[in-house]
């Protein structure tokens, strides 16, 4: 969900996960093998969710991907992956996801995009990068106050895959330099260790990525930090940017 409280976290999330290579690596390392065996991750594609009207655009600004199903015997051609970003615990996240899924399925039907009589699967994935402890249940049924267990059969049995960036095992992201620093920064956001990460981030991105891409990521990471923490200051950014051959003056001026 897009809110003022989510910004500026949303900008960093969008930049990192709109890149298909980053998302592909994340899914490969964090989804279960039982689910992954049906996915051809090389077909991962970012969807355009322009069908949302103005009423719903203010609520949804997160990402939807499709991936082809490798099993040709399965009637649905694609699996849809809904990435919902949170920077604070949100007790209504299951309701938001349910509404989004219903809108997406309705649009598929309206546009005659269903190859069979059944709807394709949508896997909701919640990425949390906040500092507060997440105590929200991943089950939609837990949101509903029911007099007895008998009522459960009338309530949608929805759950979502939940990933807390702060609890993530660093080893699962070491092979992807962008995810590596994304996780490191979220974990160290209010720690003095952040000062040591900045120069490593600049050097690591610049040496691993194409120059223009590296500078774009360095700028978005630094913009996020300027708005999100007071642990590092102007001199820390300047010192880290001096590692760039061009000195980083343009990025400093932007900051």
């Amino acid at each position: 969900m897009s809110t003022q409280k989510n910004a500026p976290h949303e900008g960093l999330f969008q930049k990192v996960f709109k890149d298909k290579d980053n998302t592909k690596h994340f899914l490969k390392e964090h989804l279960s093998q039982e689910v992954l065996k049906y996915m051809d991750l090389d077909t991962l594609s970012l969807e355009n969710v322009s069908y949302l009207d103005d009423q719903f655009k203010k609520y949804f600004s997160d990402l939807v991907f499709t991936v082809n199903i490798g099993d040709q015997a399965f009637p649905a051609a694609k699996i849809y992956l809904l990435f919902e970003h949170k920077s604070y615990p949100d007790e209504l996240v299951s309701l938001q996801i349910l509404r989004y899924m219903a809108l997406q399925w309705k649009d598929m039907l309206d546009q005659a995009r269903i190859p069979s009589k059944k709807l394709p699967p949508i896997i909701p994935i919640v990425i949390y990068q906040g500092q507060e402890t997440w105590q929200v249940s991943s089950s939609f049924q837990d949101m509903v106050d029911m007099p007895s267990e008998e009522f459960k059969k009338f309530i949608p049995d929805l759950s979502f895959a939940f990933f807390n960036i702060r609890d993530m095992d660093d080893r699962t992201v070491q092979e992807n330099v962008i995810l590596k620093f994304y996780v490191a920064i979220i974990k160290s956001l209010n720690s003095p260790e952040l000062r040591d990460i900045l120069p490593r981030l600049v050097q690591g991105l610049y040496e691993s990525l194409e120059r223009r891409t590296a500078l774009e990521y360095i700028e978005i990471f630094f913009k996020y930090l300027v708005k999100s923490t007071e642990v590092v200051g102007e001199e820390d950014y300047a010192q880290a940017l001096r590692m760039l051959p061009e000195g980083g003056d343009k990025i400093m001026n932007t900051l």
Side-chain angles (χ1 to χ4, degrees):
M1 174 176 279
S2 178
T3 68
Q4 287 296 105
K5 196 171 182 179
N6 255 343
H9 308 279
E10 204 163 74
L12 179 61
F13 163 80
Q14 291 265 344
K15 178 64 177 176
V16 170
F17 284 94
K18 272 187 175 181
D19 186 301
K20 289 188 292 185
D21 288 337
N22 297 338
T23 301
K24 178 180 175 180
H25 182 87
F26 181 89
L27 294 171
K28 186 177 179 181
E29 292 292 334
H30 296 99
L31 284 185
S32 71
Q33 290 301 313
E34 180 60 31
V35 170
L36 284 172
K37 72 180 184 181
Y38 291 102
M39 296 184 180
D40 181 1
L41 290 180
D42 290 333
T43 66
L44 192 70
S45 176
L46 181 64
E47 288 283 290
N48 181 0
V49 291
S50 59
Y51 64 83
L52 293 176
D53 60 28
D54 291 338
Q55 178 185 358
F56 289 103
K57 281 181 180 177
K58 64 183 179 181
Y59 292 107
F60 299 110
S61 64
D62 295 327
L63 307 176
V64 176
F65 287 88
T66 58
V67 60
N68 290 352
I69 295 178
D71 187 352
Q72 297 300 319
F74 196 75
K78 294 181 179 180
I79 295 173
Y80 288 73
L81 299 149
L82 166 63
F83 279 76
E84 174 79 1
H85 163 260
K86 292 294 177 186
S87 60
Y88 62 95
D90 189 345
E91 295 180 355
L92 297 179
V93 62
S94 289
L95 181 60
Q96 296 160 8
I97 288 172
L98 179 61
R99 178 165 54 177
Y100 193 101
M101 293 170 72
L103 282 169
Q104 196 167 10
W105 277 322
K106 182 179 183 301
D107 180 69
M108 293 177 198
L109 292 169
D110 291 345
Q111 301 297 324
R113 294 163 57 192
I114 306 299
S116 68
K117 294 182 179 180
K118 292 190 176 182
L119 300 170
I122 298 176
I123 300 177
I125 299 171
V126 173
I127 306 291
Y128 178 60
Q129 62 181 70
Q131 299 179 58
E132 301 172 62
T133 301
W134 182 279
Q135 296 180 322
V136 180
S137 172
S138 61
S139 170
F140 179 80
Q141 289 190 344
D142 287 343
M143 288 188 64
V144 182
D145 191 9
M146 292 177 274
S148 74
E149 291 291 308
E150 185 65 20
F151 283 77
K152 281 192 172 182
K153 63 186 178 183
F154 303 111
I155 308 300
D157 188 13
L158 165 73
S159 62
F160 55 84
F162 176 77
F163 300 100
N164 188 339
I165 300 299
R166 291 180 173 272
D167 294 338
M168 196 158 287
D169 186 343
D170 295 342
R171 292 172 295 181
T172 64
V173 292
Q174 289 302 303
E175 295 180 8
N176 182 292
V177 66
I178 297 167
L179 288 177
K180 171 184 173 181
F181 284 112
Y182 173 66
V183 171
I185 281 179
I186 299 304
K187 286 187 173 185
S188 305
L189 191 60
N190 291 313
S191 167
E193 295 177 7
L194 194 57
R195 296 191 183 95
D196 298 325
I197 293 175
L198 294 188
R200 298 205 307 268
L201 180 149
V202 172
Q203 183 176 10
L205 294 181
Y206 198 84
E207 291 179 353
S208 303
L209 305 174
E210 183 270 330
R211 174 184 172 277
R212 181 176 177 180
T213 302
L215 293 176
E216 287 178 356
Y217 272 106
I218 291 169
E219 184 172 334
I220 195 70
F221 273 119
F222 279 19
K223 281 182 176 179
Y224 168 73
L225 290 171
V226 165
K227 297 176 181 178
S228 304
T229 184
E230 296 181 357
V231 170
V232 290
E234 183 175 345
E235 181 53 35
D236 296 307
Y237 295 114
Q239 183 176 347
L241 290 170
R242 290 188 192 109
M243 304 193 70
L244 295 173
E246 53 263 62
D249 289 342
K250 183 178 179 181
I251 295 177
M252 276 302 296
N253 290 335
T254 302
L255 297 180

